[in-house]
Amino acid sequence: MAHRVTGVLIFFFLFVHVLDTALVRVSPEDYDKVVATYKTPIVALLEYGLVAAILFHALNGLRVIAVDFWSKGPRYQKQMFWTVMGVWIVLMLGAVYPVLGHAARVLFGS
């Protein structure tokens, strides 16, 4: 279920991203305003959520491929799921500073 939810969330992000990028041709001033909102701490949290969704979707997708195409995949899918979760948590911990560092500096000073 989480794989499907993250896929839908990523799709909606890409849809909004295409729309806001297209705005540069229609109204560069409005585009600049939209991009300025992306530098807020709330959007930084949303970006962290996007990173979480993309990483989970990618790692779980590899697990799904292994289950489908590896003859022993169905037997080990539970272990592979927990491996995916472990790798995902480690990568998400590593993404905290790069993604949320600017927001922390804005909120708490440098």
Side-chain angles (χ1 to χ4, degrees), residues 1-10 52-53 56-57 60 81 85:
M1 186 66 171
H3 191 75
R4 292 176 181 161
V5 169
T6 56
V8 170
L9 290 173
I10 294 165
F56 178 81
H57 193 78
N60 193 56
F81 172 77
M85 292 306 294

Side-chain angles (χ1 to χ4, degrees), residues 63-77 80:
R63 182 190 69 84
V64 169
I65 290 170
V67 168
D68 287 347
F69 292 108
W70 181 34
S71 61
K72 296 180 183 178
R75 185 178 319 150
Y76 294 110
Q77 71 175 320
M80 287 189 291

